[in-house]
Amino acid sequence: MPHDGTFTVTKSLAMNREDTGAIIGVKGELIGQYIRFRPNQRFLLGRDPAQCDVILNSLYISGVHCE
């Protein structure tokens, strides 16, 4: 990742043929992070670290915000 906080999604990254998905942080505390997950993997995002796989610290995010 460049030092200016940017993250480039290349065509090869976006069009890969792997049988997995990913979340790429483009703003805030997760900027530049690339989080992979497997097919059929339950993946929770939210503020509650006891329940969520990815923690987002914001008043606009629920304890378990999305799956």
Side-chain angles (χ1 to χ4, degrees):
M1 182 173 87
H3 296 292
D4 64 357
T6 62
F7 188 84
T8 303
V9 177
T10 62
K11 184 175 180 180
S12 62
L13 176 61
M15 302 294 288
N16 76 61
R17 296 185 184 270
E18 293 180 33
D19 199 18
T20 62
I23 294 174
I24 300 172
V26 295
K27 278 182 109 173
E29 62 197 68
L30 296 179
I31 192 166
Q33 290 191 32
Y34 186 75
I35 304 165
R36 287 184 175 252
F37 48 95
R38 294 175 302 283
N40 303 315
Q41 176 184 1
R42 187 170 185 236
F43 201 78
L44 300 175
L45 285 82
R47 287 188 316 189
D48 186 351
Q51 298 183 67
C52 297
D53 302 293
V54 175
I55 310 306
L56 303 170
N57 295 308
S58 170
L59 295 176
Y60 300 105
I61 302 294
S62 306
V64 175
H65 195 75
C66 63
E67 175 180 2

